[in-house]
């Protein structure tokens, strides 16, 4: 796609035109079609290998390319992307698509990298985002969300009118990357076919002409058989499968509690589409994302995904998540996630590759090497004692795919009788293999192999193929040759025999064996036989095979020189298979010699050491002047509403729900005035914050205490409220008879519930105070204040309404010279700590930096972390188990001065743990 764009630019430049933005109507057009087997582009069958990526969880557009290149290097040919309405719209009618919201840039980057996009604009997206992607202002719009009610319809039409034209001009049909358009999300209960149909009609009217899909959850039949081809049915129904569930604490013991993970075929005329296939997990029980990575680790990935390939015949997959990212600001839905959305994915939140990534790469390269897999039917599979088997065959080529799966936890050794051959097979516990027979491998014919195919390449006048199997297990490969070929074993131990037009190689998978097969009227074949690890040490990017780097981003060959863009995590040897004599890496020439395998061999340097400054010289300033009776709140909003659209009935009047007054993110302050009697003994206050929230209470400037905010995530919540304990004792003498008393309450709203079941009440559930009374007092008059203004760069979800946030204390330009240097003890209430630090990271190197809090996670206070004004996380025992907070380039100035501001909200006097900077990974190279 990149080359095409460059060519187009040249053509247009010659014609005196310029290319503005993405592909225009003049760009090459392609046809996207499908049948029961697969998607097709210009009639060519396509195996869609997609990884989910949320641009809104990486507030650094320059790093989007890094993730996309890493996905592509693992063999993916697509990304699947939710577009978050809430992220772009802070208020009705207001939309922002600039900076970190520049989705046009995202789609352009996908085009440049060469990845298709499955576009998922919702309007409802779930995804553990606040409100499931609904902007909080939608809570004040009448009409049931996710239905065809008028108010909601007008609101989502506004969103689609903004996002659809962007997606439309980036469609494959117009020379762009958008291949599929996904409406809604797991819309399975409380459904309204007219709404589902209108989403599609609106998309079509807006110029969407690629196939429309949706992701079904719990009732996979919903948008097909129930409504047939009637209203709401989509062309290609997708199905979500999460066989390992989300109980990360059970990693290592749990196995498929949510089913076999075999994607259902929903429509006879459409391919099987695994729209979300589990590739990680949310951390429901605070086990930490490493546990989630283990729950969905290499074993799971092999067993379930390979099983699904053969058992379901799916030819379109999207793995959720490929890279999770960060719930920065108030993006997250608080009941299921904390700041990190690492997800235990193959690429970590700090953008590092894991062992799981290597497994995705093994599977991804395999899928790329076997085009016949795009059209298969189930076929009879040979039985193998002790193992599960299943098979599919391509009716045109006769290529067969045979699944061998070991459901036991221990290794199984058996015999496979397959197409007239007898092979020994050994499979480790919970492992799976997809074997291939009758496949054209470049100039060779693979008859059968008990090794898995990793990848193939055609450097110059020969073929290279890499096969692999678990270390120490037997392998055999049979190739067809009309006469005996010449066999040269370059490395390793391999025995060869020839009979009846077939060459059979027998070996034990170990290290990397290399066999050169030539003569017999074929192109020479370099066959490499490896293990999981030695196979995965190869990169096959843009047709160039490379071993020894930690990543290859792209490769090109011009005039006998192969130019790689590649990363190295350490110094070491590099080996390149290409039709070239010279090598450059990241623009630098690399001296090479030609090795025994006729490859180029050289040595590459690793990254330089990185020094990060200590964080010192903290300055401190306490705030919360709102707690003082004399504080001037004359410009605050009067809270006097008596009704709301929430199904939650307020415990007292007036309605104090913060969204009703336009305050949607983070902290909200309330000040209530009443005339004292002198007999007050108790203040009763209830708040709903979503999980992990709290509220702090002052009366006449005296701190009365704090409570955990109510959590109303359950569907029966509206009738079963539990908005916190909410009773605070009034010290004698604090309230004077006949005098005005002032109640000040700071509520930490954590974000909105999702609307997963389309029942409206969950998502509309209030945030902020829901009940406030002082027994003996007839009336309290209220004022409310939240976020002062939408940050034009960082957006509406970045800030709440703390005094320091309203006064710019989080911003790098704020002048804190008058602030004293102070210790780390803080009183109850809100205290800010600020410091500056210089960073100068090595050039031509990708260093990922994070902030780490050492020691036990404190209770009693929470910390909002602002880096150069970007709200990059929340830390504290009430929040979650997270101690490392990624500081992405962009928010982090990599060559310059940075400002770190910590807003400490303390329920009691505390000594704050201050963090330090750490290197979360460093490689020479980078995007
Ligand atoms: C599936 C959602 O579609 C997706 O948005 C995300 O929330 C994911 O779950 C969990 O991370 S719903 C599936 C668990 C039934």
């Amino acid at each position: 796609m990149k080359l095409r764009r460059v060519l187009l630019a040249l053509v247009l430049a010659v014609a005196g035109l310029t290319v503005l933005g993405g592909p225009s109507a003049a760009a090459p057009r392609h046809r996207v079609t499908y049948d029961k087997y697969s998607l097709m582009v210009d009639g060519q069958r396509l195996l869609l290998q997609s990884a989910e990526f949320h641009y809104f969880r990486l507030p650094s557009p320059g790093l989007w390319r890094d993730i996309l290149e890493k996905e592509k290097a693992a063999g993916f040919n697509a990304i699947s992307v939710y577009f978050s309405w809430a992220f772009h719209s802070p208020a009705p009618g207001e939309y922002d698509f600039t900076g970190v919201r520049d989705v046009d840039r995202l789609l352009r980057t996908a085009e440049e990298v060469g990845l298709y996009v499955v576009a998922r604009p919702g309007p409802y997206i779930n995804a553990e985002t606040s409100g499931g992607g609904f902007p909080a202002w939608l809570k004040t719009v009448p009409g049931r969300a996710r239905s065809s009610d008028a108010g909601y319809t007008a609101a989502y039409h506004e969103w689609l009118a903004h996002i659809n034209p962007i997606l439309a001009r980036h469609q494959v049909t117009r020379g762009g990357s958008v291949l599929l358009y996904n409406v809604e999300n797991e819309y399975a209960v409380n459904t309204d076919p007219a709404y589902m149909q209108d989403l599609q009609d609106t998309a079509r009217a807006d110029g969407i002409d690629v196939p429309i899909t949706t992701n079904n959850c719990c009732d996979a039949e919903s948008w097909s058989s129930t409504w047939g081809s009637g209203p709401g049915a989509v062309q290609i129904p997708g199905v979500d499968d999460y066989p390992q569930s989300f109980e990360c604490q059970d990693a290592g013991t749990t196995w498929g509690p949510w089913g076999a993970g075999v994607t259902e075929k929903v429509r006879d005329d459409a391919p099987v589409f695994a729209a979300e296939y589990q590739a990680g997990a949310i951390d429901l029980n605070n086990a930490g994302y490493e546990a989630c990575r283990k729950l969905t680790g290499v074993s799971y990935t092999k067993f379930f995904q390979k099983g699904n390939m053969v058992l379901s015949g799916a030819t379109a997959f999207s793995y959720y998540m490929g890279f999770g990212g960060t719930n920065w600001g108030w993006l997250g839905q608080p009941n299921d996630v904390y700041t990190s959305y690492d997800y235990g994915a193959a690429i970590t939140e700090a953008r590092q590759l894991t062992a799981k990534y290597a497994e995705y790469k093994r599977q991804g390269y395999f899928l790329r090497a076997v085009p016949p897999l795009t059209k298969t039917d189930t076929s009879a599979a040979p039985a193998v004692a002790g193992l599960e088997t299943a098979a599919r065959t391509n009716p045109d080529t006769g290529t067969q795919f045979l699944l061998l799966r070991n459901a036991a936890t221990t290794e199984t050794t058996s015999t496979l009788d397959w197409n007239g051959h007898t092979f020994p097979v050994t499979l480790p516990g919970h492992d799976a293999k997809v074997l291939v027979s009758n496949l054209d491998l470049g100039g060779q014919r693979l008859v059968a192999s008990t090794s898995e195919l990793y990848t193939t390449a055609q450097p110059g006048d020969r073929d290279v193929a890499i096969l692999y199997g678990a270390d120490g297990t037997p392998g055999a490969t049979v190739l067809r040759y009309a006469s005996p070929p010449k066999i040269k074993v370059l490395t390793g131990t391999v025995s060869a025999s020839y009979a009846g037009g077939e060459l059979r190689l027998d070996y034990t998978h170990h290290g990397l064996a290399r066999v050169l097969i030539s003569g017999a009227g074929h192109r020479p074949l370099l066959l490499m036989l490896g293990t999981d690890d030695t196979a995965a040490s190869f990169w096959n990017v843009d047709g160039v095979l490379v071993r020894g780097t930690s990543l290859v981003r792209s490769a090109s060959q011009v005039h006998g020189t192969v130019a790689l863009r590649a990363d190295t995590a350490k110094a070491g040897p590099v080996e390149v298979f290409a039709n070239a004599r010279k090598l450059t890496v990241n623009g630098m020439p690399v001296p090479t010699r030609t090795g025994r395998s006729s490859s180029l061999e050289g040595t590459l340097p690793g990254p330089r050491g990185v020094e990060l400054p200590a964080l010192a010289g903290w300055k401190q300033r306490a705030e919360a002047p709102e707690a003082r009776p004399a504080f001037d709140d004359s410009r605050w909003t009067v809270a006097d509403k008596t009704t709301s659209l929430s199904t939650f009935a307020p415990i007292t009047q007036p309605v104090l729900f913060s969204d009703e007054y336009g305050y949607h993110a983070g902290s909200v302050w309330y000040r209530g005035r009443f005339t004292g009697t002198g007999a007050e003994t108790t203040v009763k206050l209830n708040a709903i914050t979503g999980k992990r929230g709290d509220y702090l209470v002052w009366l006449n400037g005296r701190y009365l205490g704090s409570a955990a905010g109510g959590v109303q995530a359950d569907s029966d919540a509206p009738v079963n409220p539990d908005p916190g304990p909410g009773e605070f004792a009034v010290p004698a003498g604090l309230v004077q008879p006949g005098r005005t008393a002032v109640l000040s309450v700071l509520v930490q709203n954590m974000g909105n519930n999702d609307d997963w079941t389309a029942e409206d009440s969950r998502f509309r559930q209030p945030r902020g105070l829901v009940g406030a009374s002082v027994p003996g007092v007839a009336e309290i008059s209220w004022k409310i204040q939240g976020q002062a203004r939408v940050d034009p760069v960082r957006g509406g979800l970045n800030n709440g309404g703390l005094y320091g946030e309203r006064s710019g204390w989080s911003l790098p330009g704020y002048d804190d010279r008058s602030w004293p240097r102070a210790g780390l003890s803080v009183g109850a209430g809100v205290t800010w700590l600020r410091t500056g630090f210089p960073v100068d990271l090595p050039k031509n190197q990708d260093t990922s930096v994070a902030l780490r809090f050492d020691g036990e996670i404190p209770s009693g206070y929470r910390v909002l972390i602002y880096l150069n004004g970007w709200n990059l996380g929340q830390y504290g025992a009430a929040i979650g188990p997270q101690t490392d907070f990624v500081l992405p380039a962009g928010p982090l100035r990599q060559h310059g001065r940075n400002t770190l501001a910590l807003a400490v909200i303390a329920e009691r006097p505390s000594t704050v743990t201050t963090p330090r900077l750490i290197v979360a990974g460093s490689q020479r190279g980078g995007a």
Side-chain angles (χ1 to χ4, degrees):
M1 265 185 269
K2 186 177 183 178
L3 180 66
R4 215 172 49 217
R5 279 182 52 78
V6 170
L7 285 178
L8 174 71
L10 279 176
V11 169
L12 294 185
V14 168
L17 301 166
T18 42
V19 184
L20 293 172
S24 66
R29 304 174 74 92
H30 299 281
R31 241 164 12 98
V32 184
T33 55
Y34 63 91
D35 64 7
K36 66 172 180 167
Y37 292 113
S38 75
L39 281 157
M40 286 171 266
V41 176
D42 296 332
Q44 286 272 333
R45 291 197 180 278
L46 172 77
L47 206 134
L48 187 72
Q49 302 167 243
S50 165
E52 184 83 19
F53 172 68
H54 300 157
Y55 63 96
F56 46 86
R57 286 186 158 121
L58 182 54
S60 180
L63 291 178
W64 295 344
R65 177 182 295 271
D66 175 61
I67 300 300
L68 267 46
E69 286 182 346
K70 283 172 175 162
E71 299 296 8
K72 187 176 179 210
F76 288 103
N77 57 16
I79 50 169
S80 171
V81 184
Y82 279 131
F83 293 82
S84 162
W85 182 3
F87 188 63
H88 295 276
S89 181
E94 282 177 34
Y95 287 83
D96 182 358
F97 292 92
T98 63
V100 298
R101 278 158 249 279
D102 186 352
V103 296
D104 205 87
R105 175 174 177 171
L106 170 76
L107 295 168
R108 242 166 28 233
T109 305
E111 280 148 27
E112 287 160 9
V113 171
L115 291 172
Y116 290 119
V117 173
V118 179
R120 313 176 71 188
Y124 183 72
I125 63 170
N126 206 63
E128 291 76 60
T129 53
S130 177
F134 283 154
W137 57 258
L138 193 67
K139 291 166 87 176
T140 61
V141 172
R144 186 165 77 86
R146 306 177 80 185
S147 81
S148 38
D149 285 359
Y152 173 67
T153 302
Y156 80 74
H157 277 185
E158 187 184 281
W159 159 240
L160 293 180
H162 284 89
I163 192 68
N164 278 347
I166 302 175
L167 300 176
R169 67 174 179 262
H170 283 281
Q171 290 176 104
V172 170
T173 48
R174 299 189 196 175
S177 56
V178 173
L179 184 79
L180 290 177
Y181 181 95
N182 182 338
V183 292
E184 255 288 342
N185 189 83
E186 300 198 320
Y187 190 48
V189 283
N190 296 318
T191 51
D192 176 345
Y195 161 58
M196 197 65 173
Q197 188 57 45
D198 183 64
L199 292 174
Q200 298 174 62
D201 295 345
T202 306
R204 294 298 187 215
D206 289 340
I208 300 295
D209 54 14
V210 294
I212 294 182
T213 179
T214 191
N215 56 311
N216 287 308
C217 156
C218 322
D219 174 7
E221 309 299 309
S222 299
W223 302 107
S224 56
S225 52
T226 314
W227 282 284
S229 54
V234 299
Q235 290 175 286
I236 306 179
V239 178
D240 296 349
D241 270 302
Y242 288 79
Q244 272 295 64
S245 86
F246 300 113
E247 308 293 324
C248 301
Q249 75 283 2
D250 295 340
T253 55
T254 195
W255 197 248
W258 283 12
V262 179
T263 310
E264 212 175 318
K265 185 161 185 83
V266 184
R267 273 183 87 129
D268 289 339
D269 61 351
V272 178
F273 175 27
E276 283 180 27
Y277 203 86
Q278 182 168 22
I282 44 177
D283 184 18
L284 286 181
N285 300 290
N286 287 349
Y289 284 111
E290 283 313 316
C292 302
R293 210 172 333 272
K294 190 172 167 208
L295 179 80
T296 57
V298 173
S299 263
Y300 157 79
T301 305
K302 287 184 172 196
F303 190 91
F304 286 88
Q305 289 177 188
K306 287 183 189 177
N308 195 32
M309 264 178 218
V310 176
L311 293 166
S312 77
T315 53
F317 304 87
S318 190
Y319 294 111
Y320 192 103
M321 297 290 304
F323 164 84
T326 307
N327 294 310
W328 62 282
W330 299 98
L331 184 74
Q333 174 258 64
N335 302 309
D336 295 333
V337 287
Y338 40 91
T339 300
S340 175
Y341 199 72
D342 176 278
Y343 216 82
I347 303 175
T348 68
E349 185 186 10
R351 299 181 295 105
Q352 304 303 301
L353 308 184
T354 62
K356 232 171 104 167
Y357 177 92
E359 179 55 25
Y360 277 92
K361 189 170 130 190
R362 283 186 289 267
Q363 294 193 21
Y365 280 17
F366 165 69
L367 292 174
R368 223 168 46 180
V370 289
L373 190 59
T374 51
K375 183 181 177 186
T376 61
D377 299 307
T378 46
S379 58
V384 177
L387 297 176
E388 178 190 356
T389 60
R392 307 190 73 81
T393 301
N394 181 303
D396 304 330
T397 64
T399 309
Q400 190 179 50
F401 299 89
L402 172 62
L403 172 73
L404 294 189
R405 213 157 67 151
N406 184 2
T409 52
T410 49
E411 185 175 278
T412 299
T413 291
S414 198
T415 302
L416 167 66
D417 286 311
W418 190 24
N419 297 341
H421 296 270
T422 301
F423 300 111
V425 285
T426 297
L427 219 56
H430 278 181
D431 204 338
K433 282 182 173 202
V434 178
L435 307 181
V436 188
S437 69
N438 295 329
L439 177 73
D440 281 327
L441 270 188
Q444 336 288 324
R445 178 76 169 175
L446 178 71
V447 176
S449 178
T450 60
S451 300
E452 290 191 276
L453 179 58
Y454 178 65
T455 197
T456 60
Q458 284 75 42
D461 57 0
R462 61 180 178 149
D463 294 330
V464 177
I466 303 175
L467 295 127
Y468 72 101
D471 194 9
T473 63
T477 296
V478 180
L479 293 153
R480 181 162 305 147
Y481 292 101
S483 57
K486 225 172 99 197
I487 310 291
K488 196 166 159 194
V489 178
L490 302 175
T491 56
T493 310
V494 177
S495 68
S497 57
Y498 179 84
E502 290 181 349
L503 169 72
R504 176 168 170 154
L505 303 173
D506 278 277
Y507 44 88
T508 297
H509 298 108
H510 185 62
L512 186 70
R514 301 182 186 216
V515 185
L516 191 62
I517 305 167
S518 56
H522 288 260
R523 283 154 61 88
L525 168 67
L526 175 66
L527 191 63
M528 295 195 265
L529 304 163
T531 62
D532 284 17
D533 289 344
T534 56
S537 67
F538 283 90
W539 300 89
N540 186 348
V541 174
D542 302 326
V544 175
L545 207 53
V546 180
R547 188 177 65 93
T549 57
S550 56
L551 177 70
V552 175
R553 295 173 184 274
S554 68
S556 62
Q557 298 179 65
V558 185
H559 303 312
T561 297
V562 57
L564 301 181
R565 286 174 55 245
D567 292 11
T568 49
K570 57 181 194 315
V574 64
E575 183 177 11
V576 178
F577 296 81
N579 187 20
R581 282 163 291 106
K582 287 189 179 152
L583 172 67
T584 68
V585 175
N586 302 331
M588 300 291 290
V590 178
T592 54
R593 60 190 173 275
T594 302
R596 281 188 74 202
S597 307
S598 306
S599 53
L600 295 178
E601 296 180 5
T603 306
L604 295 180
R608 271 159 288 165
V610 178
E611 274 180 41
L612 294 171
L615 299 177
W618 293 95
K619 292 183 154 195
Q620 188 191 108
R621 183 153 172 195
E623 49 129 291
E626 299 91 339
R628 291 199 291 271
F631 178 79
D632 177 9
D633 61 15
S634 57
R635 296 222 290 264
W636 285 23
T637 307
V638 174
D640 56 0
K641 299 199 176 183
T642 55
T643 60
S644 97
L645 292 172
S646 173
T647 48
F648 182 93
I651 296 170
T652 58
Q653 284 287 348
V655 170
L656 296 172
F657 311 165
S658 59
D659 293 292
E660 296 295 328
Y661 301 96
Y663 299 122
H664 302 305
S667 310
V668 174
W669 274 100
Y670 294 86
R671 284 171 52 88
R673 286 187 177 75
F674 62 91
T675 305
T677 66
E680 293 82 356
T681 56
T682 313
V683 172
K684 291 181 151 185
L685 290 166
N686 306 93
I688 298 180
T689 58
K691 208 165 141 185
R692 311 170 211 267
D694 68 353
Y695 58 109
L696 282 63
V697 181
W698 290 261
L699 180 60
N700 283 343
R702 179 91 62 92
Y703 181 61
L704 298 188
S706 68
V711 182
Q712 299 295 318
D714 302 331
S715 48
D716 63 349
V719 293
N720 181 26
D722 175 28
E727 299 238 340
F728 301 88
V730 176
L734 185 61
V735 178
Q736 301 292 313
R739 300 282 272 296
T740 299
V742 181
L743 200 52
S744 301
V745 187
L746 171 62
V747 182
Q748 290 302 303
N749 288 338
M750 302 302 288
N752 287 311
N753 296 340
D754 58 44
D755 190 31
W756 192 59
T757 44
E759 66 202 301
D760 225 36
S761 53
R762 277 157 61 113
F763 133 80
R764 278 188 205 273
Q765 184 183 94
R767 291 293 178 261
L769 288 181
V770 296
S773 62
V774 179
V777 168
E779 199 191 338
I780 310 175
S781 63
W782 287 98
K783 288 198 152 184
I784 178 170
Q785 176 67 55
Q787 183 190 80
R789 75 194 77 80
V790 172
D791 184 314
V793 176
R794 304 168 187 91
L797 297 172
N798 193 64
N799 298 95
L802 293 175
Y803 182 85
E805 291 175 302
R806 301 191 323 263
S807 312
W809 295 6
S810 61
L811 295 171
Y814 180 77
D815 184 356
D816 61 12
R817 273 177 301 183
S818 65
W819 289 23
R821 283 184 190 249
L824 301 169
S825 315
V826 299
V830 186
T831 305
W832 287 69
L833 302 173
R834 281 174 59 102
T835 190
F837 60 92
V839 170
D840 192 14
L841 297 178
K843 298 239 168 69
N844 306 318
Q845 188 162 321
D846 182 4
T847 301
S848 180
V849 178
L851 196 66
R852 172 171 292 173
F853 292 84
D854 293 302
E856 207 177 306
I857 305 179
S859 53
Y861 69 91
R862 61 189 57 219
V863 180
L864 301 186
I865 302 162
Y866 280 101
L867 175 71
N868 298 321
W870 295 83
N871 177 353
L872 293 183
Q874 299 177 51
Y875 169 70
I879 308 287
Q882 189 175 354
T883 55
D884 288 2
F885 293 83
V886 175
L887 309 179
L892 178 72
R893 293 177 189 149
Q894 297 192 306
H895 306 279
R897 215 169 156 74
N898 291 273
T899 302
L900 188 63
L902 305 179
V904 181
I905 301 165
E907 295 172 5
R908 52 176 185 264
S910 308
T911 301
V912 176
T913 317
T914 53
R916 65 191 168 96
L917 297 169
I918 60 156
V919 174
S922 195
Q923 295 87 29
R924 184 177 284 261

